[in-house]
Amino acid sequence: MDPEPRRPPQDAVTVRHLRLGIGSVGIALPVALVVGHLIAARRLTLLDSLSGYYHTEMRDVFVGALCAVGVFLIAYRYRWPDDALGTLAGLLAIAVALFPTTVGAAPGTTSPSDRWVGVVHQVAAAALFVLLAVFCLVLFTRPDRAGVAPSRSAVRFYRACGGVILVAIAVALASTQLPAEVRHTLKPVLWCETVAVFAFGAAWVAKSDALFRAAGEGSKDPGEASRDLVA
């Protein structure tokens, strides 16, 4: 008779679910905003940034998704400094949601205080992307709590995702120097934000791959299985 499959530790499963949830919401957000706005407006209209969808009928989706990512990040518990940086990133994600940008707002509807809120939004968004790059470049590439290092291919993938996020941020910032008509036509900030969000989401989903292998861990030594699950 085959031995009963060993169940993975509950804390490892929780971390896996959190990583999968963070990544999945991140990947889905740009698609949901664009497609949802397309359905509501009955025509394809790309805005100048993802944050601009706050001022459309997709406001609740934008705020809800960012708050969900924020809560996931705050609840994310693995080890120091992952926990502290996750909490900080979560607070920044919630700030991005609750302090809206003025970009995309109807002309004449923003006050001086609204513009200050928009500055908070921009600073929080930039800091959030930098922290997400740090997760990819530094935290995800370290050995796990059992001392088992990720594979070389995994390290290359995480570093690639982190590099893409940083390059996207740099290009988005540089694009602000372009003439307004060029920015409105090419929408570089929208594309850079979308690429960065996809890279962040892909890294977190990839880091949760042990969740999908949990069913096959029963044949492994308990210590080996546990190390895989918390990688």
Side-chain angles (χ1 to χ4, degrees):
M1 180 181 296
D2 294 335
E4 182 180 353
R6 300 184 182 93
R7 299 185 63 181
Q10 185 58 45
D11 60 342
V13 174
T14 299
V15 172
R16 297 275 71 73
H17 278 290
L18 287 173
R19 285 175 176 168
L20 181 62
I22 293 168
S24 299
V25 174
I27 291 174
L29 178 58
V31 177
L33 292 177
V34 173
V35 174
H37 185 54
L38 167 64
I39 294 173
R42 297 184 179 180
R43 58 189 176 90
L44 179 60
T45 304
L46 297 178
L47 304 187
D48 291 337
S49 70
L50 292 177
S51 300
Y53 286 91
Y54 177 91
H55 300 289
T56 71
E57 61 285 324
M58 300 306 295
R59 173 186 298 184
D60 291 345
V61 174
F62 177 80
V63 173
L66 281 175
C67 286
V69 169
V71 171
F72 276 134
L73 286 167
I74 292 172
Y76 178 74
R77 288 295 178 267
Y78 183 54
R79 62 180 173 186
W80 174 265
D82 302 53
D83 299 351
L85 293 181
T87 297
L88 178 57
L91 293 175
L92 288 172
I94 293 174
V96 171
L98 300 184
F99 292 84
T101 182
T102 56
V103 177
T109 61
T110 57
S111 64
S113 61
D114 292 329
R115 288 188 283 274
W116 278 109
V117 169
V119 171
V120 173
H121 173 92
Q122 293 175 340
V123 172
L128 174 61
F129 277 122
V130 170
L131 281 183
L132 295 178
V134 169
F135 267 95
C136 297
L137 294 171
V138 180
L139 302 184
F140 285 177
T141 59
R142 295 188 304 165
D144 64 26
R145 292 182 296 192
V148 179
S151 67
R152 291 183 180 180
S153 59
V155 170
R156 287 195 295 267
F157 178 75
Y158 297 138
R159 287 176 176 170
C161 290
V164 166
I165 293 173
L166 292 180
V167 170
I169 295 172
V171 173
L173 291 175
S175 71
T176 60
Q177 302 304 312
L178 294 172
E181 292 183 1
V182 175
R183 294 199 309 270
H184 184 68
T185 300
L186 299 180
K187 305 186 186 305
V189 174
L190 173 66
W191 293 116
C192 288
E193 288 179 342
T194 299
V195 169
V197 169
F198 279 157
F200 136 71
W204 281 79
V205 168
K207 197 63 178 175
S208 71
D209 64 347
L211 177 65
F212 303 105
R213 302 196 308 267
E217 296 296 341
S219 60
K220 292 187 176 184
D221 174 80
E224 183 184 356
S226 178
R227 288 195 297 272
D228 284 347
L229 285 166
V230 297

